[in-house]
């Protein structure tokens, strides 16, 4: 949004569980609140399938249809590699032709070419916080829980173009 993108794609490239669908809804709701259009590209991944392969095929098909979006947001960094590969194979330049950002593991998305801007969470810190709360056997939702909340953060790696 801050870089002028008004039409985005949301790549749904994982099985439709509660966490993944909550991410999709959050992205679409945020886009709508900001006056942006969001198109969901559903790769129809089911449990046990190779998500990156399905992401590649569905995203390549979307690119061949003369895509109308200027940016794509991946719901999972792990399967987002399929979309990055589709761009390379169809000669869509990141970020010149299409900006890309994903939600995922920052150590993995740092290995993509180009490295992808990532919304990340320190999962190890989340687990440590949860274990500390369990160890203290604190009933309900104590104030310590709020203090230990592990918030997402953005790692900018240059895969988002400013189109203003």
């Amino acid at each position: 949004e801050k870089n002028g993108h008004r039409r985005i794609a949301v790549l749904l490239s994982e099985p439709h569980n509660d966490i993944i669908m909550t991410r999709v809804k959050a992205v679409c709701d945020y886009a709508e609140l900001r006056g942006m259009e969001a198109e969901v590209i559903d790769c129809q991944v089911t449990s046990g399938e190779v998500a990156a392969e399905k992401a590649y095929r569905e995203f390549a098909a979307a690119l061949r249809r003369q895509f109308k979006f200027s940016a794509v947001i991946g719901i999972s960094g792990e399967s987002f590699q399929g979309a990055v590969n589709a761009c390379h194979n169809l000669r869509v330049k990141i970020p010149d032709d299409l900006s890309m950002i994903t939600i995922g593991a920052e150590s993995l998305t740092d290995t993509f070419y180009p490295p992808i801007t990532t919304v990340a969470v320190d999962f190890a810190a989340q687990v440590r916080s949860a274990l500390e709360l369990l160890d203290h056997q604190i009933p309900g939702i104590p104030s310590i829980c709020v203090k230990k909340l592990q918030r997402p953060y953005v790692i900018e790696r240059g895969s988002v173009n400013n189109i203003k």
Side-chain angles (χ1 to χ4, degrees), residues 21-130:
M21 297 313 290
T22 298
R23 286 181 182 181
V24 171
K25 184 177 181 335
V27 171
C28 291
D29 287 351
Y30 183 88
E32 182 181 341
L33 285 171
R34 299 292 192 250
M36 302 165 69
E37 292 179 47
E39 170 189 345
V40 176
I41 300 171
D42 189 348
C43 301
Q44 298 294 320
V45 176
T46 59
S47 187
E49 292 185 305
V50 179
E53 176 192 354
K54 285 195 94 171
Y56 174 88
R57 297 191 189 293
E58 289 298 320
F59 197 67
L63 294 175
R64 286 187 191 100
R65 288 191 302 268
Q66 303 299 313
F67 62 95
K68 303 285 191 239
F69 43 88
S70 62
V72 61
I73 298 175
I75 296 303
S76 169
E78 289 76 8
S79 53
F80 200 65
Q81 180 65 53
V84 173
N85 288 346
C87 287
H88 288 305
N89 290 345
L90 294 174
R91 293 178 172 69
V92 174
K93 296 180 194 130
I94 304 166
D96 297 339
D97 300 329
L98 182 63
S99 291
M100 299 188 99
I101 186 170
T102 191
I103 301 167
E106 69 268 19
S107 59
L108 176 64
T109 56
D110 188 41
T111 67
F112 293 3
Y113 181 78
I116 300 297
T117 296
T118 303
V119 177
V121 173
D122 186 344
F123 292 110
Q126 280 186 338
V127 170
R128 278 193 307 276
S129 293

Side-chain angles (χ1 to χ4, degrees), residues 47-49 138 143 149 151:
S47 187
E49 292 185 305
I138 301 169
S143 59
L149 180 66
R151 298 199 179 278

